[in-house]
Amino acid sequence: ALRYKARFIEGAPGIIADREYNVREIVKQAMGENAVQDVSMATPNKFSCLLAPAGAGQILSVDLLTLARRQEIIDGKNFHCSEVVRQVV
């Protein structure tokens, strides 16, 4: 299991994932400290970057496209959220 930090921000509508921060944290844990080489676009609905996983010997171009999202407020401190994302590598 990966352990990483996640961050959320105010968006339209409601609270959404901080895509760039969260991708960098996940990649750092899964592929190495400096695996994110470049981020060319980082919006709530589209994220594009170049990755160089440790030991892979190649650079990968990655696009994440958010197709749908849903959230549910549980109480004053908690919420559940989900996203449908297309990943193109």
Side-chain angles (χ1 to χ4, degrees):
L2 291 178
R3 293 182 60 89
Y4 59 90
K5 296 176 185 176
R7 189 163 67 189
F8 297 87
I9 57 177
E10 288 290 330
I15 299 169
I16 58 174
D18 182 338
R19 183 84 56 224
E20 183 171 1
Y21 179 87
N22 295 343
V23 167
R24 286 183 181 277
E25 288 296 310
I26 292 167
V27 169
K28 184 180 358 175
Q29 294 303 315
M31 299 180 179
E33 184 74 30
N34 299 309
V36 176
Q37 298 294 298
D38 183 54
V39 175
S40 59
M41 178 173 286
T43 71
N45 295 319
K46 184 171 183 184
F47 182 84
S48 298
C49 69
L50 294 176
L51 300 179
Q58 64 180 340
I59 293 179
L60 305 171
S61 175
V62 177
D63 292 314
L64 304 175
L65 307 167
T66 303
L67 305 175
R69 85 177 33 97
R70 180 184 169 160
Q71 60 188 2
E72 178 182 356
I73 305 292
I74 304 303
D75 57 38
K77 293 184 177 182
N78 297 290
F79 67 95
H80 292 169
C81 62
S82 64
E83 292 182 329
V84 177
V85 177
R86 179 182 300 145
Q87 299 177 24
V88 181
V89 179

